[in-house]
Amino acid sequence: MNASPRPEAELSLAQARSIAVAAAFPPGDRADVPSVLRHLHAVQLDSISVLARAHQLTLATRVPHATIRAVDAALNSSSPPAAFVYPAHALSLVPLDDWPLWAFRRRHTRTRPQYPDAGQRAALIARIRADGPLPLRSLRTEQPTTTGWGWGPTKTALEFMVWAGDLACTRYTSGQRLFDLAERCIPHPLLGDGLDDDTCQIRLLEHAATTLGLGTVDDYADYLRIRPATAERLLPRTALASVAVEGWGSAWAHASTLAGPVAATREPVFLGPFDNLIWHRPRVQRLFGFTQVFEAYKPAARREHGYYVCPLLVDGRLIARADLTSTPTGLTIHQASFETHAGPDGIDHFVNACRTLATTTGTDSTTVEAGAADPRTTAALRTALR
């Protein structure tokens, strides 16, 4: 392990929290979907849609008055495309300009045993070259799997060809990704894999810092899904500053976050469970004293907080969480709980965030299910929502 450099600043936990939230939610009333995507550099995708899609929530919370329909319209109408789909963290939307920086992962993918052989690659490329961008259902030759977990030979081949850069996904049809030749949908000046591995990862670490604000070696490694040893080796070669954070020890911060004031207070907002601010659970615990869990894949009887649980961010603190769904008839609160530090205004903040989320998801009413919280809280929420 490398010795940690002398810290350039010592930060309290409150300062670290303010820096992290300001970085994750850049100020600006004129923010739009492409600019937010360029700031975040990766927006996680997920198939669950009981409230909205993961990327819709992440982007909409950062664009004033945005709706999920407006988010997808902005993503799908731009030319050239605003983003490509890539396993930057988990499977994510990544700005088109970042294509060269993932050359290190493309090279590694070509060495993995799951990367299809030359014959299978040639057959898929020939089909797509002849017929144009196609969804998985048009390319699959075997019977589809009976569950969402199994991939099957064609899906495995396509995914690894995307990860290797043979194919790219920049458009959708009926909610399905379209697989196309990378050369047809990635601008030619971006296509090369000329950057070496260290250069790619150094620049990506600096990009991660614009969204994290600050973080430990482990935080950066998780953000990019690289080895902690690699992050530790490369962070001293970045433009980031070494800092000491109360209760953390050493960390690395974007220099700009240490030079000026943090962003102004934002309106209360529910974060989608795949929001960049809460990707790494140990960091969420260190920053907010908040235990972030995702229980959708647990049996219902084993869930403590619910199926699709969204933390509530208020004035730089996570003060509550709610299990939420949205339908054309309204937003439904299935379960809710408040942290001990939520304060006397916690209900009002919760209700304001519900109203914003209802508008975002395209509805104008909110229902609190019986037993969503303890009786007094359920009654208070119902009263405040009238």
Side-chain angles (χ1 to χ4, degrees), residues 280-293:
H280 193 36
R281 295 174 189 177
R283 183 172 186 263
V284 176
Q285 184 66 50
R286 273 185 273 115
L287 274 174
F288 300 103
F290 186 91
T291 302
Q292 170 62 12
V293 295

Side-chain angles (χ1 to χ4, degrees), residues 62-88:
R62 290 161 172 82
V63 177
H65 314 299
T67 65
I68 60 175
R69 289 181 180 272
V71 166
D72 279 352
L75 290 172
N76 294 326
S77 64
S78 60
S79 182
F84 63 99
V85 177
Y86 199 70

Side-chain angles (χ1 to χ4, degrees), residues 148-167:
W149 298 103
W151 276 19
T154 302
K155 180 171 173 59
T156 299
L158 289 168
E159 295 293 355
F160 275 84
M161 290 174 72
V162 167
W163 299 354
D166 305 316
L167 304 176

